[in-house]
Coordinates of all heavy atoms in Angstrom, one line a residue:
M209 N 0.9 -1.2 0.0 CA 0.0 0.0 0.0 C 0.9 1.3 0.0 O 1.9 1.3 0.6 CB -0.9 0.0 1.3 CG -1.9 -1.1 1.3 SD -3.3 -0.9 0.2 CE -4.3 0.1 1.2
S210 N 0.5 2.3 -0.7 CA 1.1 3.5 -0.7 C 0.2 4.6 -0.3 O -1.0 4.5 -0.6 CB 1.6 3.9 -2.1 OG 2.6 3.0 -2.5
E211 N 0.7 5.5 0.5 CA -0.1 6.6 0.9 C 0.1 7.8 -0.1 O 1.3 8.2 -0.3 CB 0.2 7.1 2.3 CG -0.9 7.9 2.9 CD -0.5 8.2 4.4 OE1 0.5 8.9 4.6 OE2 -1.3 7.8 5.3
I212 N -0.9 8.3 -0.6 CA -0.7 9.4 -1.6 C -1.6 10.5 -1.2 O -2.6 10.4 -0.4 CB -1.1 9.0 -3.0 CG1 -2.5 8.4 -3.1 CG2 -0.1 8.0 -3.6 CD1 -3.1 8.3 -4.5
K213 N -1.3 11.7 -1.8 CA -2.1 12.9 -1.5 C -3.5 12.7 -2.2 O -3.6 12.2 -3.3 CB -1.4 14.1 -2.1 CG -2.0 15.4 -1.7 CD -1.1 16.6 -1.9 CE -1.3 17.0 -3.4 NZ -0.5 18.3 -3.7
C214 N -4.5 13.0 -1.5 CA -5.8 12.9 -2.1 C -6.0 13.8 -3.3 O -5.8 15.0 -3.1 CB -7.0 13.2 -1.0 SG -8.6 13.2 -1.6
A215 N -6.3 13.2 -4.4 CA -6.4 14.1 -5.7 C -7.6 15.0 -5.7 O -7.6 16.1 -6.1 CB -6.3 13.2 -6.9
F216 N -8.7 14.5 -5.2 CA -10.0 15.2 -5.3 C -10.0 16.5 -4.5 O -10.5 17.5 -5.0 CB -11.1 14.3 -4.7 CG -12.5 14.7 -5.1 CD1 -12.9 14.8 -6.4 CD2 -13.4 15.1 -4.2 CE1 -14.1 15.2 -6.8 CE2 -14.7 15.6 -4.5 CZ -15.0 15.6 -5.8
C217 N -9.3 16.5 -3.4 CA -9.3 17.7 -2.6 C -7.9 18.4 -2.7 O -7.6 19.4 -2.0 CB -9.7 17.5 -1.1 SG -8.6 16.4 -0.3
K218 N -7.0 17.8 -3.4 CA -5.6 18.2 -3.5 C -4.9 18.2 -2.2 O -4.1 19.1 -1.9 CB -5.6 19.6 -4.2 CG -6.1 19.6 -5.6 CD -5.8 20.9 -6.3 CE -6.4 21.0 -7.7 NZ -7.9 20.9 -7.8
G219 N -5.3 17.3 -1.3 CA -4.6 17.2 -0.1 C -5.1 18.1 1.0 O -4.5 18.2 2.2
T220 N -6.1 18.9 0.8 CA -6.6 19.9 1.7 C -7.6 19.2 2.8 O -7.7 19.8 3.8 CB -7.4 21.1 1.0 OG1 -8.6 20.5 0.4 CG2 -6.5 21.8 0.1
G221 N -8.2 18.1 2.4 CA -9.1 17.5 3.3 C -10.5 18.1 3.2 O -11.5 17.7 3.8
K222 N -10.6 19.2 2.4 CA -11.9 19.9 2.4 C -12.6 19.6 1.1 O -12.0 19.2 0.1 CB -11.7 21.4 2.4 CG -11.0 21.9 3.7 CD -12.0 22.6 4.5 CE -11.5 22.8 5.9 NZ -10.2 23.5 6.0
D223 N -13.9 19.7 1.1 CA -14.7 19.5 -0.2 C -14.4 20.7 -1.1 O -14.9 21.8 -0.8 CB -16.2 19.4 0.2 CG -17.0 19.0 -1.0 OD1 -16.5 19.2 -2.2 OD2 -18.1 18.5 -0.8
S224 N -13.6 20.5 -2.1 CA -13.2 21.6 -2.9 C -14.3 22.2 -3.8 O -14.2 23.2 -4.4 CB -12.0 21.2 -3.8 OG -12.2 20.0 -4.4
F225 N -15.4 21.5 -3.8 CA -16.5 22.0 -4.7 C -17.7 22.6 -3.9 O -18.7 23.0 -4.5 CB -17.0 20.9 -5.6 CG -16.0 20.4 -6.5 CD1 -15.4 19.2 -6.3 CD2 -15.6 21.2 -7.6 CE1 -14.4 18.7 -7.2 CE2 -14.6 20.7 -8.5 CZ -14.0 19.5 -8.2
D226 N -17.5 22.7 -2.6 CA -18.5 23.3 -1.8 C -19.9 22.7 -2.0 O -20.9 23.4 -2.1 CB -18.6 24.8 -2.0 CG -17.3 25.5 -1.6 OD1 -16.5 24.9 -0.9 OD2 -17.1 26.6 -2.1
L227 N -20.0 21.4 -2.2 CA -21.3 20.8 -2.5 C -22.2 21.0 -1.4 O -23.4 21.2 -1.6 CB -21.0 19.3 -2.8 CG -20.3 18.9 -4.0 CD1 -20.3 17.4 -4.2 CD2 -20.9 19.5 -5.2
L228 N -21.8 20.8 -0.2 CA -22.7 21.0 1.0 C -22.4 22.4 1.6 O -23.3 23.2 1.7 CB -22.5 19.9 1.9 CG -22.7 18.5 1.4 CD1 -22.4 17.4 2.3 CD2 -24.2 18.3 1.0
S229 N -21.2 22.6 2.0 CA -20.7 23.8 2.5 C -19.3 23.9 2.4 O -18.6 22.9 2.2 CB -21.2 24.0 4.0 OG -20.2 23.5 4.9
A230 N -18.7 25.1 2.5 CA -17.3 25.3 2.3 C -16.5 24.6 3.5 O -15.3 24.3 3.3 CB -16.9 26.8 2.4
L231 N -17.2 24.2 4.5 CA -16.5 23.6 5.6 C -16.6 22.1 5.6 O -16.1 21.3 6.5 CB -17.2 24.1 6.9 CG -16.9 25.5 7.3 CD1 -17.7 26.0 8.5 CD2 -15.5 25.9 7.4
S232 N -17.4 21.6 4.7 CA -17.6 20.1 4.6 C -16.2 19.4 4.2 O -15.4 20.0 3.6 CB -18.7 19.7 3.6 OG -18.3 20.0 2.4
I233 N -16.1 18.2 4.8 CA -14.9 17.5 4.5 C -14.9 16.7 3.2 O -16.0 16.4 2.7 CB -14.5 16.5 5.7 CG1 -15.6 15.5 5.9 CG2 -14.2 17.3 6.9 CD1 -15.2 14.4 6.9
C234 N -13.8 16.4 2.6 CA -13.7 15.7 1.4 C -14.2 14.3 1.6 O -13.9 13.6 2.5 CB -12.2 15.7 1.0 SG -11.8 14.6 -0.4
Q235 N -15.1 13.9 0.7 CA -15.7 12.5 0.8 C -14.8 11.5 0.4 O -15.0 10.3 0.8 CB -17.0 12.5 -0.1 CG -16.6 12.8 -1.6 CD -17.8 13.1 -2.4 OE1 -18.7 12.3 -2.5 NE2 -17.8 14.2 -3.0
V236 N -13.7 11.7 -0.3 CA -12.8 10.7 -0.7 C -11.9 10.3 0.4 O -11.6 9.1 0.7 CB -12.0 11.2 -2.0 CG1 -11.0 10.2 -2.4 CG2 -12.9 11.5 -3.1
C237 N -11.3 11.3 1.0 CA -10.2 11.0 2.1 C -10.8 11.1 3.5 O -10.1 10.8 4.5 CB -9.0 11.8 1.8 SG -9.4 13.6 2.0
G238 N -12.0 11.6 3.6 CA -12.6 11.7 4.9 C -12.0 12.9 5.7 O -12.1 12.9 6.9
G239 N -11.3 13.8 5.0 CA -10.8 15.0 5.6 C -9.3 14.9 6.0 O -8.8 15.8 6.5
T240 N -8.7 13.8 5.7 CA -7.3 13.6 6.1 C -6.4 14.2 5.1 O -5.2 14.4 5.4 CB -6.9 12.1 6.3 OG1 -7.1 11.4 5.1 CG2 -7.8 11.4 7.4
G241 N -6.8 14.3 3.8 CA -6.0 14.8 2.8 C -5.1 13.7 2.1 O -4.4 14.0 1.2
K242 N -5.3 12.5 2.7 CA -4.4 11.4 2.2 C -5.3 10.2 1.9 O -6.3 10.0 2.6 CB -3.4 11.1 3.2 CG -2.3 12.1 3.4 CD -1.2 11.6 4.1 CE 0.0 12.6 4.3 NZ -0.2 13.4 5.6
V243 N -4.9 9.4 0.9 CA -5.6 8.2 0.7 C -4.6 7.1 0.4 O -3.4 7.4 0.1 CB -6.6 8.3 -0.6 CG1 -7.8 9.1 -0.3 CG2 -5.8 8.9 -1.8
E244 N -5.1 5.9 0.6 CA -4.2 4.7 0.3 C -4.5 4.0 -0.9 O -5.7 3.8 -1.2 CB -4.2 3.8 1.6 CG -3.4 4.3 2.8 CD -3.4 3.2 3.8 OE1 -4.2 2.4 3.9 OE2 -2.4 3.3 4.6
V245 N -3.5 3.6 -1.7 CA -3.8 2.8 -2.9 C -2.9 1.6 -2.8 O -1.8 1.7 -2.3 CB -3.5 3.6 -4.2 CG1 -4.6 4.7 -4.4 CG2 -2.1 4.2 -4.2
K246 N -3.4 0.6 -3.3 CA -2.7 -0.7 -3.4 C -1.7 -0.6 -4.5 O -2.0 -0.2 -5.6 CB -3.7 -1.8 -3.6 CG -3.8 -2.9 -2.6 CD -4.5 -4.1 -3.2 CE -5.3 -4.8 -2.1 NZ -6.3 -5.6 -2.6
D247 N -0.5 -1.1 -4.2 CA 0.6 -1.1 -5.3 C 0.4 -2.3 -6.2 O -0.1 -3.4 -5.7 CB 2.0 -1.2 -4.6 CG 2.3 0.1 -3.9 OD1 2.1 1.1 -4.5 OD2 2.7 0.0 -2.7
P248 N 0.8 -2.3 -7.5 CA 1.3 -1.1 -8.1 C 0.2 -0.2 -8.6 O -0.8 -0.7 -9.1 CB 2.0 -1.7 -9.3 CG 1.3 -3.0 -9.6 CD 0.8 -3.5 -8.2
A249 N 0.3 1.1 -8.5 CA -0.7 2.0 -8.9 C -0.1 2.9 -9.9 O 1.0 3.3 -10.0 CB -1.2 2.8 -7.7
I250 N -1.0 3.3 -10.9 CA -0.6 4.3 -11.9 C -1.6 5.5 -11.9 O -2.6 5.4 -11.3 CB -0.7 3.6 -13.3 CG1 -2.0 3.1 -13.6 CG2 0.4 2.6 -13.5 CD1 -2.3 2.8 -15.1
K251 N -1.2 6.5 -12.5 CA -2.1 7.7 -12.5 C -3.3 7.4 -13.3 O -3.2 6.7 -14.4 CB -1.4 8.9 -13.2 CG -2.1 10.1 -13.2 CD -1.2 11.3 -13.5 CE -1.5 11.7 -15.0 NZ -0.8 12.9 -15.4
C252 N -4.4 7.8 -12.8 CA -5.7 7.5 -13.5 C -5.7 8.3 -14.9 O -5.8 9.5 -14.8 CB -6.9 7.8 -12.6 SG -8.5 7.7 -13.4
V253 N -5.8 7.6 -16.0 CA -5.8 8.3 -17.3 C -7.2 8.9 -17.5 O -7.3 9.9 -18.2 CB -5.4 7.4 -18.5 CG1 -3.9 7.1 -18.4 CG2 -6.2 6.2 -18.5
F254 N -8.2 8.3 -17.0 CA -9.6 8.7 -17.3 C -9.8 10.2 -16.8 O -10.4 11.0 -17.4 CB -10.6 7.8 -16.7 CG -12.0 8.0 -17.1 CD1 -12.4 7.8 -18.5 CD2 -13.0 8.5 -16.2 CE1 -13.6 8.1 -18.9 CE2 -14.2 8.7 -16.7 CZ -14.6 8.5 -18.0
C255 N -9.3 10.5 -15.6 CA -9.5 11.9 -15.1 C -8.2 12.6 -15.1 O -8.1 13.8 -14.7 CB -10.0 11.8 -13.6 SG -8.8 11.0 -12.5
G256 N -7.1 12.1 -15.6 CA -5.8 12.7 -15.8 C -5.2 12.9 -14.4 O -4.4 13.8 -14.1
G257 N -5.6 12.1 -13.5 CA -5.0 12.2 -12.1 C -5.6 13.2 -11.2 O -5.1 13.5 -10.1
T258 N -6.7 13.8 -11.6 CA -7.3 14.9 -10.8 C -8.3 14.3 -9.8 O -8.6 15.1 -8.9 CB -8.1 15.9 -11.7 OG1 -9.1 15.1 -12.4 CG2 -7.2 16.5 -12.8
G259 N -8.8 13.1 -10.1 CA -9.8 12.6 -9.2 C -11.2 13.0 -9.4 O -12.1 12.6 -8.8
V260 N -11.3 13.9 -10.4 CA -12.6 14.5 -10.8 C -13.2 13.9 -12.0 O -12.4 13.8 -13.0 CB -12.5 16.0 -10.9 CG1 -13.8 16.7 -11.2 CG2 -11.9 16.6 -9.7
Y261 N -14.4 13.5 -12.1 CA -15.0 12.9 -13.3 C -15.0 14.0 -14.4 O -15.5 15.0 -14.1 CB -16.4 12.5 -12.9 CG -17.1 11.7 -14.0 CD1 -16.6 10.4 -14.2 CD2 -18.1 12.2 -14.8 CE1 -17.3 9.6 -15.2 CE2 -18.7 11.5 -15.8 CZ -18.3 10.1 -16.0 OH -18.9 9.4 -17.0
P262 N -14.4 13.6 -15.5 CA -14.1 14.6 -16.5 C -15.3 15.3 -17.2 O -15.2 16.4 -17.7 CB -13.2 13.9 -17.6 CG -13.4 12.5 -17.3 CD -13.7 12.3 -15.8
F263 N -16.4 14.6 -17.1 CA -17.6 15.2 -17.8 C -18.6 15.8 -16.9 O -19.7 16.2 -17.3 CB -18.2 14.1 -18.7 CG -17.2 13.5 -19.6 CD1 -16.7 12.2 -19.4 CD2 -16.8 14.2 -20.8 CE1 -15.7 11.7 -20.3 CE2 -15.8 13.7 -21.6 CZ -15.3 12.4 -21.3
N264 N -18.3 15.7 -15.7 CA -19.2 16.4 -14.6 C -18.2 16.8 -13.5 O -18.0 16.0 -12.6 CB -20.3 15.5 -14.2 CG -21.2 16.2 -13.1 OD1 -20.9 17.2 -12.7 ND2 -22.2 15.5 -12.7
G265 N -17.7 18.0 -13.6 CA -16.6 18.3 -12.8 C -16.9 18.5 -11.3 O -16.1 19.0 -10.5
R266 N -18.0 17.9 -10.8 CA -18.3 18.1 -9.4 C -18.4 16.8 -8.7 O -18.7 16.7 -7.5 CB -19.6 18.9 -9.2 CG -19.4 20.4 -9.5 CD -20.6 21.1 -9.6 NE -21.2 21.3 -8.3 CZ -21.0 22.4 -7.5 NH1 -20.2 23.3 -7.9 NH2 -21.6 22.5 -6.3
V267 N -18.2 15.7 -9.4 CA -18.3 14.4 -8.7 C -17.0 13.6 -8.9 O -16.1 14.0 -9.7 CB -19.5 13.5 -9.3 CG1 -20.8 14.2 -9.1 CG2 -19.2 13.3 -10.8
T268 N -16.8 12.6 -8.1 CA -15.5 11.9 -8.1 C -15.5 11.0 -9.3 O -16.5 10.5 -9.9 CB -15.4 11.0 -6.9 OG1 -16.5 10.2 -6.8 CG2 -15.2 11.8 -5.6
C269 N -14.3 10.8 -9.8 CA -14.0 10.0 -11.0 C -14.4 8.6 -10.6 O -14.0 8.1 -9.5 CB -12.5 10.1 -11.3 SG -12.0 8.8 -12.5
T270 N -15.2 7.9 -11.4 CA -15.7 6.6 -11.1 C -14.6 5.5 -11.3 O -14.7 4.4 -10.8 CB -16.9 6.2 -12.0 OG1 -16.5 6.4 -13.4 CG2 -18.1 7.1 -11.7
V271 N -13.5 5.8 -12.0 CA -12.5 4.9 -12.2 C -11.6 4.8 -11.0 O -11.2 3.7 -10.5 CB -11.6 5.2 -13.5 CG1 -10.5 4.3 -13.7 CG2 -12.6 5.2 -14.7
C272 N -11.1 5.9 -10.5 CA -10.2 5.9 -9.3 C -10.9 6.2 -8.0 O -10.2 6.3 -6.9 CB -9.0 6.8 -9.6 SG -9.6 8.5 -9.8
N273 N -12.2 6.5 -8.1 CA -12.9 6.9 -6.8 C -12.4 8.2 -6.2 O -12.5 8.3 -5.0 CB -13.0 5.7 -5.8 CG -13.7 4.5 -6.3 OD1 -14.8 4.8 -6.9 ND2 -13.2 3.4 -6.2
G274 N -11.8 9.0 -7.1 CA -11.3 10.3 -6.5 C -9.9 10.4 -6.1 O -9.5 11.4 -5.7
K275 N -9.3 9.2 -6.1 CA -7.9 9.2 -5.6 C -6.9 9.7 -6.6 O -5.8 10.1 -6.2 CB -7.6 7.7 -5.2 CG -8.4 7.2 -4.1 CD -8.0 5.8 -3.7 CE -8.9 5.2 -2.6 NZ -8.5 3.8 -2.3
G276 N -7.2 9.6 -7.9 CA -6.3 10.0 -8.9 C -5.3 9.0 -9.3 O -4.5 9.1 -10.2
M277 N -5.3 7.8 -8.6 CA -4.4 6.8 -8.9 C -5.3 5.5 -8.9 O -6.3 5.3 -8.2 CB -3.2 6.6 -7.8 CG -2.4 7.7 -7.6 SD -1.0 7.9 -8.8 CE 0.0 6.5 -8.3
V278 N -4.9 4.6 -9.8 CA -5.6 3.3 -9.8 C -4.6 2.1 -9.7 O -3.5 2.2 -10.2 CB -6.4 3.1 -11.1 CG1 -7.7 4.0 -11.1 CG2 -5.6 3.4 -12.3
T279 N -5.1 1.1 -9.0 CA -4.2 -0.1 -8.9 C -4.3 -1.0 -10.2 O -5.4 -1.2 -10.7 CB -4.7 -0.9 -7.7 OG1 -4.7 -0.1 -6.6 CG2 -3.8 -2.1 -7.5
V280 N -3.2 -1.4 -10.7 CA -3.2 -2.2 -11.9 C -2.5 -3.6 -11.6 O -1.9 -3.7 -10.6 CB -2.5 -1.5 -13.1 CG1 -3.2 -0.3 -13.5 CG2 -1.0 -1.2 -12.7
K281 N -2.9 -4.5 -12.5 CA -2.2 -5.8 -12.3 C -1.0 -5.8 -13.2 O -1.2 -5.8 -14.4 CB -3.3 -6.9 -12.8 CG -3.5 -8.0 -11.7 CD -4.3 -9.0 -12.5 CE -5.1 -9.8 -11.5 NZ -6.1 -10.7 -12.2
S282 N 0.1 -5.9 -12.7 CA 1.3 -5.8 -13.6 C 1.7 -7.3 -14.0 O 1.5 -8.2 -13.2 CB 2.5 -5.1 -13.0 OG 3.0 -5.8 -11.9
P283 N 2.3 -7.5 -15.2 CA 2.7 -6.5 -16.2 C 1.4 -6.1 -16.9 O 0.5 -6.8 -17.1 CB 3.7 -7.2 -17.1 CG 3.2 -8.7 -17.0 CD 2.7 -8.8 -15.6
T284 N 1.5 -4.8 -17.4 CA 0.3 -4.3 -18.1 C 0.7 -4.0 -19.6 O 1.9 -3.8 -19.9 CB -0.2 -3.0 -17.5 OG1 0.9 -2.1 -17.4 CG2 -0.7 -3.2 -16.1
K285 N -0.2 -3.8 -20.4 CA -0.1 -3.4 -21.7 C -1.2 -2.4 -22.1 O -2.3 -2.5 -21.4 CB 0.0 -4.5 -22.8 CG -1.3 -5.3 -22.8 CD -1.2 -6.4 -23.9 CE -2.6 -7.1 -23.9 NZ -2.7 -8.2 -24.8
E286 N -1.0 -1.6 -23.0 CA -2.0 -0.6 -23.4 C -3.3 -1.3 -23.8 O -3.3 -2.3 -24.6 CB -1.4 0.2 -24.6 CG -2.3 1.5 -24.8 CD -1.8 2.3 -26.0 OE1 -2.2 2.0 -27.2 OE2 -1.0 3.2 -25.8
C287 N -4.4 -0.7 -23.4 CA -5.7 -1.3 -23.8 C -5.9 -1.0 -25.3 O -5.9 0.2 -25.7 CB -6.8 -0.7 -23.0 SG -8.4 -1.2 -23.5
A288 N -6.1 -2.1 -26.0 CA -6.3 -1.9 -27.5 C -7.7 -1.2 -27.8 O -7.8 -0.5 -28.8 CB -6.2 -3.2 -28.1
K289 N -8.6 -1.4 -27.0 CA -10.0 -0.9 -27.2 C -10.0 0.7 -27.2 O -10.6 1.3 -28.0 CB -10.9 -1.5 -26.3 CG -12.4 -1.2 -26.7 CD -13.4 -2.1 -25.9 CE -14.8 -1.6 -26.3 NZ -15.8 -2.7 -26.1
C290 N -9.4 1.2 -26.2 CA -9.5 2.7 -26.0 C -8.1 3.3 -26.3 O -8.0 4.6 -26.2 CB -9.9 3.0 -24.6 SG -8.7 2.5 -23.3
K291 N -7.2 2.5 -26.7 CA -5.8 3.0 -27.1 C -5.2 3.7 -25.9 O -4.5 4.8 -26.1 CB -5.9 3.9 -28.3 CG -6.5 3.1 -29.5 CD -5.9 3.6 -30.8 CE -6.1 2.7 -32.0 NZ -7.5 2.1 -32.0
G292 N -5.5 3.3 -24.7 CA -4.8 3.9 -23.5 C -5.4 5.2 -23.0 O -4.9 5.7 -22.0
T293 N -6.5 5.5 -23.5 CA -7.2 6.8 -23.1 C -8.1 6.5 -21.9 O -8.4 7.4 -21.1 CB -8.0 7.5 -24.2 OG1 -9.1 6.6 -24.5 CG2 -7.2 7.8 -25.4
G294 N -8.5 5.2 -21.7 CA -9.4 4.9 -20.6 C -10.9 5.3 -20.9 O -11.7 4.9 -20.0
A295 N -11.2 6.0 -22.0 CA -12.5 6.4 -22.2 C -13.1 5.6 -23.5 O -12.4 5.5 -24.4 CB -12.6 7.9 -22.4
A296 N -14.3 5.3 -23.4 CA -15.0 4.7 -24.5 C -15.3 5.7 -25.5 O -15.6 6.9 -25.1 CB -16.3 4.0 -24.0
K297 N -15.2 5.4 -26.7 CA -15.5 6.3 -27.8 C -16.9 6.8 -27.7 O -17.8 6.0 -27.4 CB -15.3 5.7 -29.2 CG -14.0 6.2 -29.9 CD -14.1 5.8 -31.4 CE -12.7 5.7 -31.9 NZ -12.6 4.7 -33.0
D298 N -17.2 8.1 -28.0 CA -18.5 8.7 -28.0 C -19.2 8.8 -26.7 O -19.7 9.9 -26.4 CB -19.5 7.8 -29.0 CG -18.8 7.6 -30.3 OD1 -18.1 8.5 -30.8 OD2 -19.0 6.6 -30.9
S299 N -19.3 7.7 -25.9 CA -20.2 7.8 -24.7 C -19.5 8.6 -23.6 O -20.3 9.2 -22.8 CB -20.4 6.4 -24.2 OG -19.2 5.8 -23.7
G300 N -18.2 8.7 -23.6 CA -17.6 9.5 -22.5 C -17.6 8.7 -21.3 O -17.2 9.2 -20.1
L301 N -17.9 7.4 -21.3 CA -17.9 6.6 -20.1 C -16.6 5.9 -20.1 O -15.9 5.7 -21.1 CB -19.1 5.5 -20.2 CG -20.5 6.2 -20.0 CD1 -21.5 5.1 -20.4 CD2 -20.7 6.7 -18.6
P302 N -16.2 5.3 -18.9 CA -15.0 4.5 -18.9 C -15.0 3.4 -19.8 O -16.1 2.7 -20.0 CB -14.9 4.0 -17.4 CG -15.7 5.0 -16.7 CD -16.8 5.5 -17.6
C303 N -13.9 3.1 -20.5 CA -13.8 1.9 -21.4 C -14.2 0.6 -20.7 O -13.8 0.4 -19.6 CB -12.4 1.8 -21.9 SG -11.9 0.4 -22.8
T304 N -15.0 -0.2 -21.4 CA -15.5 -1.4 -20.7 C -14.5 -2.5 -20.7 O -14.6 -3.3 -19.8 CB -16.7 -1.9 -21.6 OG1 -16.4 -2.0 -23.0 CG2 -17.9 -1.0 -21.4
K305 N -13.5 -2.4 -21.5 CA -12.4 -3.5 -21.5 C -11.5 -3.2 -20.3 O -11.2 -4.2 -19.7 CB -11.7 -3.4 -22.8 CG -10.7 -4.6 -22.9 CD -10.6 -5.1 -24.4 CE -9.5 -6.1 -24.6 NZ -9.8 -7.4 -24.0
C306 N -10.9 -2.1 -20.1 CA -10.0 -1.8 -19.1 C -10.5 -1.1 -17.9 O -9.8 -0.9 -16.9 CB -8.8 -1.0 -19.7 SG -9.4 0.6 -20.3
G307 N -11.8 -0.8 -18.0 CA -12.4 -0.3 -16.8 C -12.1 1.2 -16.6 O -12.2 1.8 -15.6
G308 N -11.4 1.8 -17.6 CA -11.0 3.2 -17.6 C -9.6 3.4 -17.2 O -9.1 4.6 -17.1
K309 N -8.8 2.4 -17.0 CA -7.5 2.5 -16.6 C -6.5 2.7 -17.7 O -5.4 3.2 -17.6 CB -7.0 1.2 -15.8 CG -7.7 1.1 -14.5 CD -7.4 -0.2 -13.8 CE -8.2 -0.4 -12.5 NZ -7.8 -1.7 -11.8
G310 N -7.0 2.4 -19.0 CA -6.1 2.6 -20.1 C -5.1 1.5 -20.3 O -4.5 1.4 -21.4
V311 N -4.9 0.6 -19.3 CA -4.1 -0.6 -19.5 C -4.8 -1.9 -19.1 O -5.8 -1.8 -18.3 CB -2.8 -0.5 -18.7 CG1 -1.9 0.7 -19.2 CG2 -3.1 -0.2 -17.2
V312 N -4.4 -2.9 -19.6 CA -5.0 -4.2 -19.2 C -3.9 -5.1 -18.8 O -2.7 -4.9 -19.1 CB -5.8 -4.9 -20.3 CG1 -7.1 -4.1 -20.6 CG2 -5.0 -5.0 -21.6
H313 N -4.2 -6.2 -18.1 CA -3.2 -7.1 -17.7 C -2.7 -7.9 -18.8 O -3.4 -8.3 -19.7 CB -3.9 -8.1 -16.7 CG -2.9 -9.1 -16.1 ND1 -1.7 -8.8 -15.6 CD2 -3.0 -10.4 -16.0 CE1 -1.1 -9.8 -15.2 NE2 -1.8 -10.9 -15.5
K314 N -1.4 -7.9 -19.0 CA -0.7 -8.6 -20.0 C -0.6 -10.1 -19.6 O 0.2 -10.5 -18.7 CB 0.7 -8.0 -20.2 CG 1.4 -8.4 -21.5 CD 2.6 -7.6 -21.6 CE 3.6 -8.1 -22.6 NZ 4.8 -7.3 -22.6
A315 N -1.4 -10.9 -20.3 CA -1.4 -12.3 -19.9 C -0.2 -13.1 -20.4 O 0.3 -12.7 -21.4 CB -2.7 -12.9 -20.4
Ligands
ZN613 ZN1 -9.6 14.4 -0.1
ZN614 ZN1 -9.7 9.0 -12.0
ZN615 ZN1 -9.6 0.5 -22.5

């Protein structure tokens, strides 16, 4: 496990979108500003590591759950379906083959 800075609140522990109030705590890290990810983890390509769902900038990324990093099964290779972007063509939803990670397990 690695401890990383919470991407969704940028380590502040506060809800950066003021969804409830400016004083509310970040729902991803619970206010600590830090989250744990299982190794090996890579930057979430779907949200670009921001932890924010790219098509609705006020909710957490569904691929990394707001952490900005996702755990992968190594060794990995680029997902042929989304060409490593993590996004399904047209729909804007996470790629169904790699789950939005942009890489798949290299069997
Ligand atoms: Zn947070
Ligand atoms: Zn993400
Ligand atoms: Zn894919």
Side-chain angles (χ1 to χ4, degrees):
M209 296 286 275
S210 295
E211 196 178 64
I212 56 165
K213 192 167 85 172
C214 175
F216 195 65
C217 65
K218 300 188 178 68
T220 63
K222 299 254 166 58
D223 186 338
S224 45
F225 297 105
D226 298 343
L227 290 185
L228 301 169
S229 88
L231 296 173
S232 63
I233 58 170
C234 172
Q235 58 192 302
V236 175
C237 60
T240 62
K242 294 193 178 93
V243 287
E244 283 189 332
V245 289
K246 243 194 206 163
D247 292 315
I250 57 164
K251 189 167 101 171
C252 175
V253 289
F254 191 66
C255 64
T258 62
V260 181
Y261 190 71
F263 304 103
N264 176 355
R266 287 168 74 90
V267 297
T268 52
C269 171
T270 51
V271 176
C272 61
N273 293 317
K275 295 177 179 179
M277 301 277 288
V278 285
T279 304
V280 293
K281 233 190 202 173
S282 68
T284 58
K285 62 176 180 183
E286 189 183 87
C287 174
K289 190 166 176 161
C290 64
K291 303 210 162 45
T293 64
K297 251 195 205 149
D298 308 326
S299 68
L301 293 169
C303 170
T304 50
K305 183 148 176 72
C306 61
K309 294 177 181 178
V311 292
V312 290
H313 181 52
K314 194 172 165 184

